[in-house]
Amino acid sequence: KPMFGLIGLQNEDVSPEHRIDDPGYFYLNGVERPWRDHNFKRGGHGKGVDLTEAIVESCDVYFYNMSVDTGIDVLAEYSQQFGLGSLTGLDIPGEQSGIMPTKEWKKRERGEAWFNGDTINTSIGQGYMLATPLQLAVMSARLASRGKVLQPRLVKARDGVEEPIAEQSTLIDIKAEHWDYMHNAMRNVIHSPRGTANSIRSGLTYQMAGKTGTAQVISISANDEYDRDKINQRQWDHALFIAFAPVENPQIAIGLIVENGEHGSSTAAPVARLVIDEYMKNQTKQQLGQR
């Protein structure tokens, strides 16, 4: 959602002032089945939802609306710049490329035409879209660095500061004010009382930005509700969380998946908090040692 929100802002499909009404579901013209919000049972997020609220409270319906205007071509083009749908260049064999679907991809792989419903599914990272944990970390790093493209490397131990390899000198073409906007929205995911990850903010001595997420393992029909008690545990949703810190000068970025963990807010986010806490402690020790 943060990445697609940036794309929508840059493409001028939405603005900070743009608002939608979220009754808990979205209907596409000519399609009978609704696309539901995760807040469906509570009646959605209500009236006047802007992009910040859509990020902070994770409003699916906002992105359903936006994606129809933006279109899969623009979403896919920018997403590839953020590292989705292609190899990151990690220095070990066996890396998977994931899938950032396009009209051409669906025609080639499925022998079918692309529909607006496919775009809507993709707008919240579902449908045909697939991403590895490493790609989520790379995406998080590019969000944190305001579009700087770096090649990830695997290390066994960190004995000192080692500069990453720059793939290119140019940045992802997004206006500075849009980066500012999204960093602030992601900060509020954790530091706002209504943020989906606000449960991990207690005792934080630094500002963290993040975004919770959920990835479905099995498809659920429009007339059914997700019920963990009726399915095997290996079919429970995956819990996702991306984060970076400190917000004002990011030093660490994380992409995290807890398999079958269900909720990014309660399962994945606390793990990220522990990792980033430890990193920040080590940074402080190194700084004190240098003095």
Side-chain angles (χ1 to χ4, degrees):
K1 288 186 175 78
M3 181 187 69
F4 284 158
L6 276 170
I7 296 169
L9 289 170
Q10 181 67 19
N11 205 49
E12 298 183 350
D13 299 304
V14 295
S15 69
E17 293 75 33
H18 176 74
R19 297 175 180 272
I20 61 104
D21 294 338
D22 172 20
Y25 51 84
F26 171 82
Y27 278 99
L28 182 65
N29 288 337
V31 180
E32 293 184 1
R33 69 170 291 272
W35 278 263
R36 293 182 295 194
D37 197 343
H38 76 283
N39 264 345
F40 174 74
K41 288 184 178 179
R42 291 180 285 173
H45 293 84
K47 296 182 179 296
V49 178
D50 64 8
L51 180 55
T52 292
E53 186 176 348
I55 295 292
V56 172
E57 299 183 27
S58 203
C59 173
D60 294 340
V61 171
Y62 186 97
F63 293 93
Y64 297 155
N65 277 275
M66 188 200 82
S67 68
V68 176
D69 293 329
T70 304
I72 192 60
D73 293 335
V74 172
L75 291 177
E77 179 184 357
Y78 271 99
S79 296
Q80 289 163 4
Q81 295 181 56
F82 278 90
L84 300 185
S86 59
L87 298 176
T88 67
L90 187 70
D91 52 342
I92 58 171
E95 183 186 1
Q96 299 295 306
S97 63
I99 299 172
M100 184 59 219
T102 62
K103 295 174 183 177
E104 292 75 18
W105 175 89
K106 189 181 179 188
K107 190 68 176 176
R108 182 180 68 250
E109 298 294 328
R110 303 293 174 122
E112 300 173 353
W114 187 268
F115 298 101
N116 279 339
D118 297 323
T119 305
I120 293 170
N121 292 335
T122 304
S123 74
I124 60 166
Q126 303 288 345
Y128 299 115
M129 186 175 173
L130 290 175
T132 67
L134 176 62
Q135 287 173 331
L136 294 180
V138 167
M139 179 187 69
S140 181
R142 293 179 187 179
L143 286 167
S145 65
R146 298 169 181 260
K148 188 175 182 180
V149 177
L150 300 174
Q151 180 181 329
R153 288 185 290 178
L154 188 68
V155 297
K156 182 177 180 180
R158 185 180 175 91
D159 298 322
V161 178
E162 191 172 2
E163 291 299 320
I165 302 170
E167 284 187 345
Q168 58 188 51
S169 58
T170 57
L171 302 178
I172 299 173
D173 184 22
I174 291 177
K175 293 180 180 178
E177 59 264 33
H178 301 332
W179 291 115
D180 291 341
Y181 182 95
M182 194 54 61
H183 278 207
N184 187 59
M186 292 180 69
R187 182 206 314 261
N188 286 337
V189 169
I190 295 162
H191 296 277
S192 165
R194 301 186 70 175
T196 54
N198 72 335
S199 62
I200 68 168
R201 66 177 175 162
S202 178
L204 269 176
T205 58
Y206 55 90
Q207 295 277 298
M208 185 195 304
K211 181 70 189 75
T212 56
T214 303
Q216 287 182 325
V217 176
I218 58 173
S219 298
I220 300 174
S221 69
N223 296 321
D224 292 331
E225 296 286 344
Y226 174 83
D227 187 345
R228 61 182 289 182
D229 296 326
K230 294 181 180 179
I231 56 178
N232 185 281
Q233 184 176 350
R234 296 299 295 171
Q235 296 177 323
W236 291 357
D237 292 343
H238 296 324
L240 281 70
F241 191 66
I242 63 168
F244 60 85
V247 177
E248 61 277 7
N249 182 27
Q251 301 296 314
I252 179 173
I254 284 180
L256 177 68
I257 296 178
V258 178
E259 291 185 338
N260 310 116
E262 294 194 289
H263 305 294
S265 56
S266 59
T267 308
V271 177
R273 164 74 192 270
L274 291 173
V275 172
I276 296 179
D277 273 356
E278 193 63 26
Y279 178 88
M280 298 299 288
K281 277 191 239 179
N282 288 336
Q283 289 292 97
T284 301
K285 289 179 183 177
Q286 287 182 13
Q287 292 168 1
L288 291 174
Q290 291 170 357
R291 291 175 188 172

